[in-house]
Amino acid sequence: GAVVSQHPSRVICKSGTSVKIECRSLDFQATTMFWYRQFPKQSLMLMATSNEGSKATYEQGVEKDKFLINHASLTLSTLTVTSAHPEDSSFYICSAMARTSGNEQFFGPGTRLTVL
Amino acid sequence: QQPVQSPQAVILREGEDAVINCSSSKALYSVHWYRQKHGEAPVFLMILLKGGEQKGHEKISASFNEKKQQSSLYLTASQLSYSGTYFCGTPRGSQGNLIFGKGTKLSVKP
């Protein structure tokens, strides 16, 4: 149980285009999902908290208009990187929080974004 | 406040033991441990919810000392598959979001 999928796993795009990343909890419902960004050999940096049916909560320094998050259902959250630039190239990982006493988070496999 | 992990890196031979520490300057109510292999997403190992709690998974166990505001992850008789970067995460806020330490890179050699 507790499987989270992420699509696509890799994407290469041209500068100025938009890229959508999907995060799905496959066998449980997740009212809360999280989006992280990770640079090589560094820790996970929380970008935003996504709640089903409401606006996402963004971390300080993360541009809301650039990283659009939509949590349309209890099993799906999407992150859209708008007008992507090379500095947006990174490993993006989502996680879904299980409704348990400990609020365990289960991570998707990640999406490697490369902006040319 | 980001939790502090130590050591930053450790190299082991198969069968050796290791301890990874995670400490916080703020009060801890829970600690989450994850392992991440290169190019992959972190995998949940265990969560410790209250002071003094200890948990184990195969030959990986952890303790949580609420008073000292720290948790330790114990890897005994390490296997090659234990190689990876270990992160501890501590809650920040009421939504369940976690702040992760910088990670400890564990390399197990044959």
Side-chain angles (χ1 to χ4, degrees):
Chain A
V3 178
V4 177
S5 71
Q6 209 172 318
H7 179 80
S9 57
R10 285 181 180 273
V11 57
I12 301 172
C13 68
K14 291 183 179 179
S15 188
T17 60
S18 295
V19 175
K20 180 187 278 190
I21 303 170
E22 290 187 350
C23 177
R24 294 180 186 270
S25 57
L26 298 184
D27 51 2
F28 67 103
Q29 292 184 335
T31 53
T32 304
M33 291 185 174
F34 303 94
W35 287 96
Y36 294 87
R37 185 173 180 175
Q38 187 176 35
F39 292 104
K41 297 184 180 181
Q42 292 191 22
S43 187
L44 299 138
M45 184 187 78
L46 179 66
M47 296 176 67
T49 301
S50 170
N51 292 297
E52 188 265 337
S54 63
K55 289 183 179 180
T57 304
Y58 290 82
E59 294 299 300
Q60 195 172 10
V62 177
E63 296 177 58
K64 299 179 184 181
D65 296 330
K66 181 162 190 64
F67 298 100
L68 299 178
I69 291 172
N70 183 271
H71 196 149
S73 74
L74 288 172
T75 59
L76 173 65
S77 176
T78 59
L79 168 69
T80 301
V81 183
T82 62
S83 187
H85 289 282
E87 57 265 30
D88 298 326
S89 298
S90 190
F91 191 49
Y92 292 87
I93 314 175
C94 72
S95 71
M97 189 166 72
R99 283 180 161 183
T100 61
S101 58
N103 289 332
E104 290 95 328
Q105 288 187 36
F106 298 93
F107 285 84
T111 296
R112 176 76 58 192
L113 171 64
T114 303
V115 185
L116 303 175
Chain B
Q1 195 87 19
Q2 186 178 36
V4 177
Q5 286 185 236
S6 62
Q8 288 184 335
V10 59
I11 300 174
L12 297 175
R13 292 280 183 194
E14 247 185 311
E16 291 182 338
D17 303 338
V19 180
I20 300 171
N21 298 303
C22 173
S23 63
S24 173
S25 58
K26 292 191 172 183
L28 286 178
Y29 301 99
S30 67
V31 178
H32 303 228
W33 284 98
Y34 292 82
R35 176 174 61 212
Q36 184 180 30
K37 294 188 180 283
H38 181 67
E40 301 178 9
V43 172
F44 174 77
L45 292 177
M46 66 189 77
I47 178 174
L48 297 105
L49 291 174
K50 49 191 175 182
E53 185 174 29
Q54 296 189 5
K55 279 194 174 178
H57 176 68
E58 298 180 344
K59 291 182 179 177
I60 300 175
S61 61
S63 64
F64 182 19
N65 189 320
E66 191 176 356
K67 283 185 180 179
K68 291 185 178 180
Q69 296 172 183
Q70 69 179 36
S71 174
S72 295
L73 188 72
Y74 306 94
L75 300 100
T76 58
S78 59
Q79 306 168 17
L80 296 176
S81 61
Y82 287 2
S83 293
T85 300
Y86 290 79
F87 292 99
C88 68
T90 56
R92 189 208 70 183
S94 59
Q95 294 193 77
N97 43 358
L98 297 174
I99 301 299
F100 288 92
K102 292 186 177 182
T104 296
K105 184 175 180 180
L106 178 75
S107 301
V108 181
K109 309 287 186 185

